[in-house]
Amino acid sequence: LSPYRHPVPLQDVTRAMHILRYNADNWNINPDRIGVMGFSAGGHLAATLSTHYDRGNTNAADPVERVSSRPDFTILVYPVVSMMAGTTHSGSCENLLGTTPPDELRHLLSNELHVTADTPPAFITHSTTDSAVPVANSRLLRDAMKANYVPVEYFELTSGDHGLGCGAGMEWATWQDECARWLKANHLAK
């Protein structure tokens, strides 16, 4: 994020996905099981890649750029999804877009507005008591995915503040167990 505002974070994660997929054989990675995961503002970046990926440029001089940056799945934990006023996390929005972003930019980076039938399947978790990022972010993305018939697992916790204990506690263990179950059920993990 700040001082590197949009589009730099998206360019970085897009390039990372290109590099992973391009080197999949060398690194013993299944190129059809590469996901993206993000928490909070990082969740926004992961959701942005999942809704704004490229298919690769077959004419690119750099062979890394010829492969797709589309994730095969997405995991979002208490994510910022929308940049729309009233839903977004204002600090994340300001860090990414500046203090007075134009409406067109808010719209472009409100990921719930860019879900298509080709958006990767997702596991999303959020707590209803999150006092930093409104749970509406996750619900909007879940609803957009369902409306476009994209597989989505939404696991809503009834307690736990933003961060869900950051690696400790019942909420943290619970969402991880559900995510592991989802990955196995969808043959995304062994």
Side-chain angles (χ1 to χ4, degrees):
L1 293 174
S2 184
Y4 302 102
R5 294 197 163 107
H6 178 74
V8 174
L10 180 58
Q11 291 168 337
D12 284 350
V13 73
T14 299
R15 180 68 178 177
M17 188 61 75
H18 284 297
I19 290 169
L20 279 169
R21 190 156 279 123
Y22 179 78
N23 289 291
D25 288 341
N26 295 335
W27 295 343
N28 199 28
I29 298 170
N30 183 334
D32 300 321
R33 288 187 182 175
I34 300 175
V36 65
M37 179 178 190
F39 299 70
S40 194
H44 183 268
L45 182 57
T48 303
L49 179 63
S50 296
T51 56
H52 294 75
Y53 58 84
D54 66 58
R55 290 291 185 178
N57 178 356
T58 56
N59 298 320
D62 180 356
V64 171
E65 296 297 319
R66 295 178 193 158
V67 297
S68 174
S69 68
R70 180 189 182 273
D72 296 300
F73 61 93
T74 308
I75 299 171
L76 303 173
V77 185
Y78 44 85
V80 176
V81 170
S82 185
M83 289 290 121
M84 301 308 258
T87 303
T88 193
H89 175 257
S90 59
S92 296
C93 183
E94 185 173 326
N95 285 336
L96 184 62
L97 305 180
T99 55
T100 55
D103 289 341
E104 299 80 26
L105 193 54
R106 282 182 179 270
H107 184 274
L108 176 68
L109 294 176
S110 291
N111 296 305
E112 75 280 11
L113 303 177
H114 300 283
V115 173
T116 69
D118 200 41
T119 298
F123 176 89
I124 307 168
T125 190
H126 213 127
S127 169
T128 59
T129 59
D130 190 326
S131 62
V133 175
V135 70
N137 281 269
S138 291
R139 290 173 179 166
L140 285 168
L141 186 60
R142 173 205 59 199
D143 294 347
M145 293 181 76
K146 286 183 174 188
N148 284 278
Y149 305 100
V150 177
V152 59
E153 178 86 13
Y154 177 61
F155 183 69
E156 191 168 272
L157 295 156
T158 58
S159 64
D161 202 7
H162 194 69
L164 298 174
C166 292
M170 177 67 102
E171 290 88 5
W172 192 264
T174 302
W175 82 258
Q176 283 192 322
D177 290 345
E178 288 299 315
C179 185
R181 180 197 54 74
W182 178 80
L183 286 166
K184 288 177 186 172
N186 289 281
H187 310 288
L188 299 169
K190 294 182 180 181

